[in-house]
């Protein structure tokens, strides 16, 4: 049986990412290259479009070098040996691939990310909206970069009592849509800059915040200058602040919360005590939340449950760092290459999330939490190696990735809890500070939320 593979011809044949090419099509890549002035001036052995797809494919195969990634890109191309262009699709040298990546830089990848970023959901998508507001979260994370002299001039090693981290650290902050876990905006750079500076500073996350959103954030953002800067975007806020922060009571509401002000910003302060009970015992913690939602019809319980959705951004970071990268250090040995690689990673992650969202659009009754990111990733890898689904099929709108996700839905999320500890994704050994906790079973729990008065916190 013969299999027909439809892709670009001649030197452009290797330029694809399998079925994800439907989401990042040739025309989009060409537009990003034209916008950034990085289209090749003459037809090269490695055209700029092909190099962009190489970078995206490398994000799918984080454990492979670029020459090995290239072999996956051409493995499924059934080229006629008698075709004059067939001989041109060969494995370039590592040096040629390096020069091609340097030639295009990070700008076209940033332009691609700008074209793809966004919530990728619809009015009927479950978990996307709360009282007509798009549920979003902001937070930061860190990734390791190679300790080359060029990288060490920009990035620094983490501190510690035993020599610090082995690799320099990159800080990434993102604004994520909690319902679909898609990225709305991201910024990154040296960890010499704080999360709040990357969020509220020039080219930060606030440029993407707008009215119609409610943005969730943890205590790191719970200070007056940051809260007022975020509120100036017009987005509603729900931010956890430190329990020892005290706010002047202007008016008590019937549910025990009270109205106050942070500077000239009117806010509502919610204090609750959350008790979690399992077969191993119980744990209590006090939460103090500040929100711009002052409507009394919105109860304290509703706000406390909404804040729990902030954990979706932690899942997004887990998918990026553990599922895709598997805890590995980034490849690039120059700061410019790091910029290029991180944007390629964000574009690929966003494309996978869009593919999942498109599949779930056929089933609005399903919670997006039930879609397996791992299945989408492994299917995308297989489709790339097979060079399958490169061009859109008007009959098959969700594609193989979408069907595999729908065929293997995760169970509905259960009320289970386990200790929060640091895990090493590529280590067989348990961190000493988490012995007897990492591999223990999670437990079902019941939760009790009680409102605290202003004087009880």
């Amino acid at each position: 049986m013969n299999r027909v593979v439809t892709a670009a011809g001649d030197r452009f044949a290797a330029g694809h990412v399998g079925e994800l090419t439907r989401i990042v099509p040739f025309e989009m890549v060409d537009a990003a290259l034209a916008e950034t002035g990085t289209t090749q001036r003459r037809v090269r052995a490695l055209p700029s479009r092909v190099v962009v797809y190489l970078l995206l494919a490398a994000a799918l195969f984080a454990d492979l070098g670029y020459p090995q990634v290239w072999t996956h890109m051409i493995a499924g191309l059934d080229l006629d040996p008698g075709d004059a262009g067939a001989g041109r699709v060969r494995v370039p040298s590592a040096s040629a691939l390096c020069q091609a990546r340097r030639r295009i830089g990070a700008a076209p990848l940033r332009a691609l990310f700008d074209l793809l970023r966004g919530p990728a959901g619809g009015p009927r998508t479950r978990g996307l909206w709360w009282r007509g507001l798009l549920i979003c979260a902001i937070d930061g994370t860190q990734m390791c970069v190679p300790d080359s002299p060029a990288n060490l001039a920009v990035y620094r090693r983490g501190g510690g009592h035993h020599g610090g981290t082995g690799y320099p650290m990159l800080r990434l902050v993102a604004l994520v849509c909690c319902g679909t876990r898609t990225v709305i905006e991201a910024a990154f750079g040296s960890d010499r800059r704080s999360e709040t500076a990357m969020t509220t500073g020039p080219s930060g996350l606030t440029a993407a915040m707008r009215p119609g959103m409610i943005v969730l954030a943890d205590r790191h953002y719970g200070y007056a200058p940051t809260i007022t800067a975020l509120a100036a975007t017009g987005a509603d806020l729900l931010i956890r602040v430190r329990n020892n922060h005290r706010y002047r009571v202007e008016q008590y509401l019937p549910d025990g919360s009270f109205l106050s002000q942070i500077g000239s910003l009117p806010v509502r302060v919610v204090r609750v005590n959350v008790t979690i009970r399992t077969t191993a015992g119980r744990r209590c913690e006090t939460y103090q939340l500040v929100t711009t939602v002052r409507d009394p019809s919105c109860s304290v319980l509703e706000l406390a449950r909404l804040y729990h959705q902030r954990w979706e951004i932690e899942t997004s970071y887990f998918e990026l760092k553990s599922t895709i990268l598997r805890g590995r250090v980034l490849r690039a040995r120059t700061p410019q290459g790091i910029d290029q690689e991180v944007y390629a990673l964000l574009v690929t992650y966003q494309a996978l999330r869009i593919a999942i969202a498109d599949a779930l659009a056929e089933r609005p009754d399903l919670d997006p939490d039930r879609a397996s990111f791992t299945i989408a990733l492994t299917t995308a890898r297989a489709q790339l190696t097979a060079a399958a689904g490169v061009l859109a099929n008007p009959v098959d709108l969700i594609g193989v990735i979408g069907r595999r996700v729908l065929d293997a839905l995760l169970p509905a999320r259960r009320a289970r809890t386990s200790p929060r500890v640091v895990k090493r994704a590529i280590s067989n050994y348990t961190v000493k500070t988490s012995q007897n906790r990492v591999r223990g079973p999670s437990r079902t729990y019941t939760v009790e939320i009680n409102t605290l008065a202003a004087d009880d916190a």
Side-chain angles (χ1 to χ4, degrees):
M1 181 176 69
N2 295 326
R3 181 171 67 94
V4 178
V5 175
T6 304
D10 204 12
R11 291 182 174 91
F12 293 88
H16 70 91
V17 279
E19 193 174 287
L20 291 183
T21 313
R22 300 182 182 187
I23 296 170
V24 192
F26 305 143
E27 297 81 5
M28 182 182 291
V29 174
D30 290 342
L33 291 167
E35 178 186 336
T36 55
T38 49
T39 305
Q40 70 283 344
R41 296 183 179 180
R42 57 184 174 84
V43 179
R44 298 173 176 266
L46 288 170
S48 298
R49 182 208 291 175
V50 175
V51 179
V52 170
Y53 282 118
L54 170 68
L55 289 161
L56 301 184
L60 288 175
F61 295 96
D63 56 333
L64 300 180
Y66 287 103
Q68 289 74 35
V69 173
W70 181 273
T71 60
H72 278 271
M73 295 171 67
I74 65 174
L77 300 177
D78 294 334
L79 298 173
D80 183 357
D83 184 358
R88 299 173 187 167
V89 183
R90 59 183 184 274
V91 180
S93 67
S95 175
L97 293 174
C98 178
Q99 293 174 23
R101 298 195 308 276
R102 289 179 179 174
R103 186 180 75 240
I104 69 167
L109 279 302
R110 169 73 219 199
L112 271 181
F113 177 65
D114 285 337
L115 292 171
L116 287 172
R117 62 187 178 90
R124 297 191 301 163
T125 304
R126 289 186 59 182
L128 198 66
W129 308 96
W130 178 81
R131 291 181 170 238
L133 300 175
L134 182 69
I135 307 172
C136 304
I138 53 174
D139 202 1
T141 190
Q142 290 183 310
M143 294 187 287
C144 293
V145 304
D147 55 351
S148 64
N151 282 342
L152 286 170
V154 175
Y155 303 100
R156 63 180 179 180
R157 292 186 174 95
H161 299 293
H162 302 284
T165 60
Y167 292 99
M169 306 298 291
L170 172 145
R171 190 186 306 282
L172 170 69
V173 295
L175 174 67
V176 169
C177 174
C178 294
T180 56
R181 296 186 202 139
T182 47
V183 182
I184 299 175
E185 183 56 288
F188 59 90
S190 169
D191 69 347
R192 291 180 174 90
R193 292 186 67 199
S194 67
E195 287 184 25
T196 53
M198 286 188 176
T199 300
T200 60
S203 303
L205 305 184
T206 49
M209 294 173 58
R210 54 175 173 76
M213 291 180 173
I214 182 161
V215 178
L216 318 179
D218 63 13
R219 285 173 289 192
H220 198 76
Y221 297 83
Y223 296 90
T226 305
I227 292 174
T228 52
L230 296 176
T233 64
D236 279 298
L237 307 176
L238 179 60
I239 299 177
R240 186 180 182 185
V241 297
R242 293 184 182 276
N243 293 334
N244 59 4
H245 286 193
R246 290 294 179 262
Y247 301 94
R248 181 169 56 89
V249 179
E250 292 186 347
Q251 178 187 344
Y252 280 105
L253 297 181
D255 58 8
S257 62
F258 61 91
L259 304 182
S260 184
Q261 282 197 331
I262 297 178
S264 59
L265 176 67
V267 297
R268 178 182 180 185
V269 181
V270 174
R271 288 175 173 153
V272 294
N273 189 64
V274 179
T275 303
I276 295 178
R277 292 183 174 85
T278 70
T279 55
R282 71 171 193 164
R283 178 171 60 88
C284 299
E285 189 168 357
T286 299
Y287 284 72
Q288 181 170 229
L289 307 174
V290 167
T291 181
T292 55
V293 179
R294 291 161 59 97
D295 183 358
S297 69
C298 175
S299 69
V300 166
L301 180 61
E302 189 177 357
L303 288 169
R305 291 190 178 279
L306 173 64
Y307 181 74
H308 185 68
Q309 294 300 311
R310 192 199 69 80
W311 280 96
E312 297 297 341
I313 193 171
E314 305 286 358
T315 304
S316 296
Y317 284 144
F318 181 88
E319 291 166 347
L320 273 170
K321 296 168 60 177
S322 293
T323 308
I324 295 180
L325 292 177
R326 295 184 61 80
R328 289 180 169 82
V329 179
L330 297 175
R331 296 181 177 91
R333 302 185 65 82
T334 64
Q336 297 79 11
I338 291 294
D339 292 350
Q340 184 185 67
E341 187 175 354
V342 174
Y343 277 125
L345 180 64
L346 290 171
V347 169
T348 304
Y349 174 80
Q350 186 75 353
L352 286 165
R353 275 284 153 203
I354 291 173
I356 293 172
D358 288 348
L360 294 175
E362 303 291 319
R363 294 282 305 276
D365 58 307
L366 291 177
D367 191 314
D369 290 340
R370 298 190 60 191
S372 170
F373 182 81
T374 300
I375 288 176
L377 175 62
T378 54
T379 305
R381 288 170 175 164
Q383 292 292 92
L384 184 150
T385 304
V390 173
L391 300 181
N393 183 345
V395 178
D396 183 11
L397 297 179
I398 65 173
V400 175
I401 296 175
R403 285 198 301 276
R404 295 278 172 82
V405 168
L406 293 177
D407 289 344
L409 292 171
L410 300 173
R413 182 173 289 181
R414 298 171 294 170
R416 297 182 71 85
T417 184
S418 60
R420 185 187 182 192
V421 294
V422 175
K423 299 181 182 180
R424 294 179 179 173
I426 58 175
S427 174
N428 292 325
Y429 302 97
T430 305
V431 185
K432 286 186 177 180
T433 56
S434 61
Q435 283 181 351
N436 303 321
R437 292 192 295 165
V438 168
R439 292 175 175 81
S442 60
R443 296 179 171 88
T444 59
Y445 70 88
T446 58
V447 62
E448 178 182 338
I449 301 176
N450 295 308
T451 305
L452 297 176
D455 296 332
D456 294 338

